[in-house]
Amino acid sequence: QVQLVESGGGLVQAGGSLTLSCTASGTISSLNDMGWHRQAPGKEREFVAGFRSGGIPDYADSVKGRFTISRDNARNTVYLQMNSLKPEDTAVYYCVLVILTTSRVYWGQGTQVTVSS
């Protein structure tokens, strides 16, 4: 069984920064993708950041230039550095892991990010 544990959320003023981390544990195939989605109140869950084939970072247009995704494969950990935060970034942020060989998807429990104006 795979478990994803996120940390790093919190309350920050507009213009501030936060770094989220997500560590995967359990039996994990080395062929996997990890990334971040978020869900704001009353809205659907949306993609935030991940990796294209070849490990090239990919971002939603709304966060390009402000967020940076990185990964430590040795620790099965993915990070999301969030700068210049805006009130519209307020959401629950979810880590996601996809096993490429089976297409099985695992989600973390979510971490709340609140940006005050």
Side-chain angles (χ1 to χ4, degrees):
Q1 185 71 7
V2 175
Q3 287 189 322
L4 303 176
V5 178
E6 300 127 331
S7 62
L11 172 64
V12 64
Q13 288 188 333
S17 298
L18 282 174
T19 300
L20 306 182
S21 64
C22 171
T23 299
S25 62
T27 303
I28 305 169
S29 166
S30 60
L31 297 176
N32 65 76
D33 273 339
M34 295 183 75
W36 294 93
H37 286 59
R38 68 186 180 187
Q39 187 166 18
K43 295 187 177 181
E44 294 187 353
R45 193 172 297 189
E46 64 177 3
F47 169 80
V48 175
F51 296 95
R52 299 180 185 173
S53 66
I56 300 172
D58 189 24
Y59 301 97
D61 288 343
S62 59
V63 307
K64 281 181 181 176
R66 300 187 298 120
F67 289 12
T68 302
I69 189 171
S70 61
R71 180 169 177 171
D72 183 340
N73 289 326
R75 292 181 169 83
N76 286 324
T77 299
V78 64
Y79 304 93
L80 186 67
Q81 173 68 43
M82 305 185 293
N83 298 326
S84 302
L85 283 161
K86 304 175 181 180
E88 51 263 44
D89 293 319
T90 295
V92 177
Y93 283 71
Y94 295 92
C95 175
V96 60
L97 182 148
V98 180
I99 305 298
L100 298 177
T101 52
T102 63
S103 299
R104 178 75 184 267
V105 179
Y106 297 91
W107 292 94
Q109 80 283 359
T111 185
Q112 177 70 46
V113 171
T114 302
V115 184
S116 62
S117 57

